[in-house]
Amino acid sequence: MSTGKQGKLDFKMGWSGRLARGWARLKQILAQTFRLSRRGWTRLVVRERFLVGALSFLALTTVGWGIGRRLSPSAAPMPLVIEEKPAVSAETGAGDYETLLRELQAELAALQAQMKTADPAQTASEAEAGPVFNPLKLTPPVAGKVTKRSGWEKKAGEWRYHSGVDLAVPPGTPVVAAAAGTVGAIKTDPALGTVVVLDHGQGWQSLYGQLTGIQVVTGQQVGQGALLGYSARTSCGPAPGIHFNLYHQENPVDPLTVLNLTQQ
């Protein structure tokens, strides 16, 4: 073989060997890189799982602590301080209610007295004139004493307002009209028994309870002092007698502010 051909052959074989060695080196580098990538990915996944588990544990711990705080009673609740006058509690007895009611009535009476004494001249003229307010010039339906006046009272465990007055008279006492008017109604009431209602006009009405032997009929015109009936044996007050009340525009009016009635 000539020297030129031998040189070309040596050159090709040297180039092929270098290529083979380079390719082998490249495969080795790729294999090492792939192994390192798998290891890195595995480590990343392990780290993520660890972080997720740690965060979940912390979240559950926080929620459990909050629920425990809500369920557990407070260590020292703040006291409620009320500087104003305390209201009557549910445990207050009937005696305390009555005492409070009497105090309120006394305060109201004192206020009314102050209003009257504010103008002495007017008070003197009213005393000379007689009743404070008597537009119909009413007369008492019976000559009896007041055994119960208007005000709050306790019945069957409940507080109720007693409007009007109870007048004590013997059973069978004649009951007359306090003023002229028309018989508006004759009815039976569970508490007042047989009742006669007179309409006097201008929004005024009078009521007579605990009657018997009624002498009038509905729609009848009666004059002042006309016989309406007789007092029954029953009464809503502490003694036998009648119940008498006044209304103006359907609002109760205390008869003691209109009539001069004898009080016990």
Side-chain angles (χ1 to χ4, degrees):
M1 179 178 297
S2 64
T3 304
K5 292 182 178 181
Q6 184 65 34
K8 290 181 180 180
L9 181 60
D10 293 338
F11 176 78
K12 290 181 179 180
M13 291 180 62
W15 178 253
S16 298
R18 286 194 295 271
L19 288 177
R21 287 192 300 270
W23 176 247
R25 181 61 177 169
L26 179 61
K27 289 194 296 181
Q28 184 179 3
I29 293 173
L30 290 175
Q32 290 178 357
T33 303
F34 180 71
R35 285 195 298 271
L36 291 176
S37 299
R38 290 188 60 184
R39 291 178 183 176
W41 176 256
T42 302
R43 291 177 182 176
L44 180 60
V45 171
V46 171
R47 290 179 181 177
E48 288 181 353
R49 290 181 179 178
F50 175 77
L51 291 175
V52 171
L55 292 177
S56 300
F57 175 76
L58 292 176
L60 291 175
T61 303
T62 304
V63 173
W65 178 79
I67 294 175
R69 288 279 294 177
R70 290 191 176 184
L71 294 179
S72 61
S74 58
M78 295 296 294
L80 178 62
V81 179
I82 301 177
E83 297 181 357
E84 299 180 357
K85 185 178 179 180
V88 180
S89 63
E91 299 177 356
T92 305
D96 295 335
Y97 280 108
E98 294 175 357
T99 302
L100 179 60
L101 180 60
R102 286 195 295 268
E103 292 177 357
L104 292 176
Q105 290 177 345
E107 292 178 0
L108 179 60
L111 181 60
Q112 291 177 346
Q114 292 177 1
M115 294 176 63
K116 289 182 179 180
T117 56
D119 190 354
Q122 183 179 359
T123 304
S125 62
E126 289 178 354
E128 294 176 357
V132 176
F133 180 64
N134 193 347
L136 302 176
K137 299 189 182 301
L138 301 172
T139 58
V142 293
K145 293 184 178 180
V146 177
T147 57
K148 185 187 293 187
R149 57 184 302 171
S150 298
W152 288 95
E153 60 179 356
K154 190 174 184 180
K155 280 189 175 182
E158 295 182 359
W159 285 97
R160 300 179 182 179
Y161 185 78
H162 178 264
S163 61
V165 294
D166 292 334
L167 302 172
V169 292
T173 300
V175 180
V176 300
T182 305
V183 180
I186 300 174
K187 56 185 179 180
T188 301
D189 185 87
L192 301 179
T194 302
V195 175
V196 174
V197 180
L198 296 184
D199 186 358
H200 305 289
Q202 300 180 357
W204 284 91
Q205 289 182 325
S206 59
L207 181 146
Y208 312 78
Q210 303 294 346
L211 300 186
T212 186
I214 303 301
Q215 301 295 311
V216 293
V217 295
T218 304
Q220 179 180 345
Q221 298 286 336
V222 297
Q224 189 175 38
L227 180 63
L228 303 178
Y230 302 90
S231 61
R233 295 183 178 275
T234 59
S235 174
C236 57
I242 71 165
H243 178 81
F244 178 66
N245 203 356
L246 293 173
Y247 297 91
H248 184 250
Q249 302 296 342
E250 299 183 355
N251 297 315
V253 177
D254 188 354
L256 294 179
T257 63
V258 179
L259 291 171
N260 287 326
L261 298 173
T262 304
Q263 303 184 44
Q264 287 187 349

